[in-house]
Amino acid sequence: MSTPRRVEDGTSQETANKDRLILADEDRILVYDMEKSQMYAEISGATCLTKLAHVDFGRIPDEVTVFSDFGFKLQIWSLATKRAVEVKDPKSAPACYSYRPTTGHLALLTRPAARDILMVMAPSNYEVLTTVELTTVDACGVKYSPDGNWLVVWDAASAGCRVLLLTADGHLFKTYCLPQDELDLGVRCVEWSPDGDYLAIGDYEGRVVLLGKNNVRLDRSNCRFTDVILMNAQFMPSLTFVHHPTIDDPHETVWQEDRGPSGTRGYAQARQPTLSPAVDSFPNAKEGSSGITIMDFNVDGSLLASRDGTTPSTLRIYAPRSGQPLAALIHHAPIKSIQWHPRFADLLLIQCAIPEPIVYVWRAQWDAPKAFSLSFRAPFGQLKSAWLSSDDKSINYMLGNTEQYAIGRFAPDGEEVPWQRNGGRLHGLGPEDMFDEGNSLDLSPDQMPEDATSNGTPALGLSTQLGYTSAVEDTFHFRRQSQAVI
C-alpha cells in the first residue's frame, strides 16, 4: 500500500495534489482515487515471468514505479499515456532509486554485470542523461539531498564504511571512509538532515557519524552557482555519537519505562550510570540486527533520534548543532518505529513491539515523556501508528491495522484530551465510538469488473494496452510487448 510522495518540483498543483492510493499483490496493481472513492486504474501482468517486488508512486501521482522480483527490471508507468518505460537490472528497491526534490530527476542504481552503474534520468520521459560507473563493491542505496545539490551512495558492509558523495549530475566529489585505526564493520543506514547541512551515517558498530558541510563565507560575485556549492561544501566529520550499553553522560537525561500498580505505563527518571537492556533480554527480538537500525532527523534538523540493534529497547536523542546528547528512553520491549511530528519539531512518536495498543511520546519541553493507551478489541494484531493533522490546541495521532483503528488526542502540554459529542453529533471518532454501527472503517477494496474503470473506459493493463492474452506465445514474449526499453 502506498500514497503519492510530496512533489517539490515545478509540477502543477492540480497534478501534484491528487489523493490516490496504490494496492498491490504479487502480480496486480490497483490505483484508487480517494477523492472520488472509486478505482482509477489497473495494471495487470506488468512483470510477466516474475512477481512484484516493490510498487510505489513515481515523481507525480500519474506515475507508478514497478520493480520485478530478483532485480529483473523496473517499469515506470504513466497513467496519463498508458505507456511504460523499462529499465533492466535495477538493484534492490526502494533504496536503489531517489527522485531529486527540486526538479524530479531520477537517480537509479543498476548492476548489468559485475559493476555498479548510476543512471541519472530526465523527468517525465526518463531519458538517460548521465551514466556513471561507480567504484563500489556492491552499492546498497542512493539518496538525493533535500536541496537537490548532492547524491550519496553507500557501499555494502563487506566493503567497510565507504560512502560516496556526488554532485547532482553524478560527478564524484568525495569518498568518506573510517580511519584505519578504528573498527570498521560497514555502513548500516544513511540519512540527510532536512536542511541538507548534515549527512548522518549509521554503521554496524553502533556509531552515528555526522558529516557537516562546514559552510564558509565566499564572494559569490565572480562564481558560478555550481562553483559556490562545491567551494562551500567540505563534508568533514563534525560529530560522532556512539551507542554505548552503559549510559553515563551528565548532559543526557535517562528515562525508563515504568508500570504502575494499576497497569498504567509511564516514565521514571533513572540514575546514571544506567545499563541498557541487551538484545538477549528479548526472546522475540530479531537476531543479527546489530548496528544503527533506526535513525531519523526531526523536521528542522535540530534533533536526531537513533536506535542500536544490540540494545533494541533504547532510543537515543541528540542535538547535532550543539553536539550534545539530550535524552535516552529505555523501554520494556524493542522499539518498532519512530516518527517526528511534521509541525512540532521537538515532538516524537514511539511505538514498541508490544501486544497492547500503546504509543509513547517524547517532547523536549515536557517534564517527562508520556505513554498513551487506546481501547481496542482483541486480538489486536500488528498495529501501526501515525501522526494526523494537528493544531495549536490539540495534537492527533492514529493507531490501527487492516481490521480496526483508533484515534487519540492530547494537548500541547501532554494532557490527554477526550473526544466529545455535541448535541448528539459525533465530532471525533474515539476508542469508545469506533465500533459503533456505521462508524467502523471498511478497508476492503471495492468490487469492480475486470476491464472497467471509473469512467467506463478500459482499465490500464497489459491485457488492454498491449493485446496480451493468457496464451503464452513464446518464452520471451514480454520483450516484444515493452513500450520502451532503455
Side-chain angles (χ1 to χ4, degrees):
M1 181 181 294
S2 176
T3 55
R5 67 186 75 244
R6 181 180 178 183
V7 178
E8 298 180 358
D9 55 13
T11 307
S12 65
Q13 291 296 318
E14 181 180 356
T15 303
N17 294 334
K18 292 180 179 178
D19 292 327
R20 291 176 183 169
L21 184 71
I22 284 182
L23 302 173
D25 55 16
E26 293 181 349
D27 57 2
R28 188 184 181 201
I29 305 168
L30 301 176
V31 181
Y32 189 79
D33 191 326
M34 293 183 288
E35 290 183 349
K36 300 179 180 179
S37 298
Q38 58 188 10
M39 203 63 65
Y40 178 76
E42 174 186 348
I43 305 175
S44 58
T47 57
C48 298
L49 299 180
T50 61
K51 298 179 181 179
L52 297 176
H54 177 79
V55 179
D56 200 354
F57 283 99
R59 182 180 60 94
I60 56 176
D62 277 336
E63 294 178 353
V64 177
T65 58
V66 182
F67 285 83
S68 303
D69 208 358
F70 308 113
F72 180 59
K73 64 179 177 179
L74 160 67
Q75 288 183 320
I76 306 174
W77 282 91
S78 171
L79 303 184
T81 63
K82 300 183 180 181
R83 293 180 177 272
V85 175
E86 183 176 307
V87 185
K88 298 178 182 178
D89 304 314
K91 304 207 74 173
S92 299
C96 72
Y97 73 104
S98 178
Y99 282 94
R100 192 181 185 200
T102 52
T103 60
H105 288 76
L106 174 65
L108 176 68
L109 291 175
T110 63
R111 194 175 179 88
R115 64 188 189 278
D116 293 325
I117 301 296
L118 173 66
M119 301 171 61
V120 179
M121 308 169 71
S124 301
N125 61 358
Y126 290 97
E127 177 186 357
V128 178
L129 303 178
T130 304
T131 301
V132 180
E133 183 174 344
L134 302 174
T135 58
T136 52
V137 176
D138 186 10
C140 290
V142 60
K143 278 186 181 180
Y144 267 110
S145 61
D147 56 12
N149 293 329
W150 302 97
L151 270 170
V152 60
V153 177
W154 61 99
D155 212 340
S158 59
C161 185
R162 184 176 173 83
V163 178
L164 278 61
L165 286 158
L166 305 98
T167 59
D169 55 356
H171 290 86
L172 180 63
F173 173 72
K174 189 173 186 176
T175 300
Y176 170 76
C177 300
L178 282 177
Q180 294 183 356
D181 58 344
E182 294 189 23
L183 180 62
D184 189 356
L185 299 181
V187 178
R188 182 65 189 263
C189 57
V190 169
E191 193 68 39
W192 287 99
S193 65
D195 52 11
D197 287 343
Y198 290 101
L199 175 64
I201 303 172
D203 63 13
Y204 279 88
E205 187 59 20
R207 279 184 298 246
V208 177
V209 180
L210 295 182
L211 304 184
K213 286 197 302 187
N214 298 330
N215 293 337
V216 295
R217 293 185 178 181
L218 292 176
D219 181 10
R220 305 189 181 192
S221 57
N222 297 322
C223 293
R224 295 180 304 170
F225 178 70
T226 305
D227 295 335
V228 172
I229 293 175
L230 296 177
M231 293 174 66
N232 272 339
Q234 299 295 325
F235 288 110
M236 299 294 293
S238 57
L239 292 170
T240 299
F241 301 116
V242 182
H243 282 248
H244 292 295
T246 301
I247 305 173
D248 189 8
D249 193 317
H251 300 94
E252 193 169 14
T253 305
V254 181
W255 299 98
Q256 284 186 324
E257 184 181 355
D258 182 46
R259 181 175 293 186
S262 61
T264 58
R265 297 176 183 257
Y267 288 89
Q269 188 171 350
R271 294 182 178 181
Q272 298 189 37
T274 302
L275 183 64
S276 300
V279 66
D280 311 4
S281 307
F282 309 102
N284 296 328
K286 294 182 179 179
E287 297 182 359
S289 58
S290 60
I292 304 300
T293 53
I294 297 177
M295 183 173 63
D296 194 17
F297 282 95
N298 68 338
V299 66
D300 61 3
S302 61
L303 297 173
L304 173 66
S306 60
R307 188 202 80 161
D308 183 11
T310 58
T311 54
S313 66
T314 303
L315 185 71
R316 311 290 287 272
I317 302 175
Y318 307 97
R321 294 170 186 171
S322 64
Q324 299 292 342
L326 291 183
L329 282 68
I330 303 176
H331 303 85
H332 292 168
I335 297 170
K336 183 179 178 180
S337 65
I338 64 172
Q339 294 183 60
W340 290 102
H341 197 280
R343 178 176 178 184
F344 302 99
D346 63 339
L347 192 58
L348 179 64
L349 182 68
I350 306 167
Q351 186 181 358
C352 293
I354 55 177
E356 296 85 1
I358 296 174
V359 296
Y360 305 89
V361 181
W362 175 87
R363 194 170 192 183
Q365 58 185 262
W366 289 351
D367 295 334
K370 309 286 184 180
F372 298 105
S373 177
L374 296 176
S375 298
F376 266 77
R377 61 184 176 187
F380 305 123
Q382 293 189 3
L383 301 175
K384 291 186 178 181
S385 58
W387 290 114
L388 300 178
S389 58
S390 307
D391 53 35
D392 295 333
K393 296 182 179 180
S394 63
I395 300 171
N396 306 318
Y397 64 94
M398 184 185 74
L399 187 66
N401 54 24
T402 57
E403 300 293 334
Q404 52 185 325
Y405 76 101
I407 298 175
R409 170 185 291 178
F410 59 88
D413 60 0
E415 292 296 326
E416 194 165 7
V417 178
W419 294 87
Q420 298 182 4
R421 296 175 182 267
N422 185 9
R425 184 177 180 181
L426 183 65
H427 278 232
L429 183 59
E432 70 278 5
D433 301 312
M434 61 176 293
F435 304 119
D436 294 346
E437 185 176 357
N439 288 336
S440 60
L441 178 63
D442 183 10
L443 298 178
S444 60
D446 291 348
Q447 299 295 326
M448 297 188 64
E450 293 185 358
D451 295 324
T453 58
S454 58
N455 56 6
T457 58
L460 174 61
L462 294 181
S463 58
T464 301
Q465 177 65 19
L466 304 178
Y468 176 79
T469 62
S470 58
V472 179
E473 298 175 1
D474 58 63
T475 305
F476 301 100
H477 66 88
F478 55 90
R479 297 189 183 275
R480 300 200 312 273
Q481 295 171 347
S482 300
Q483 293 289 342
V485 179
I486 294 178

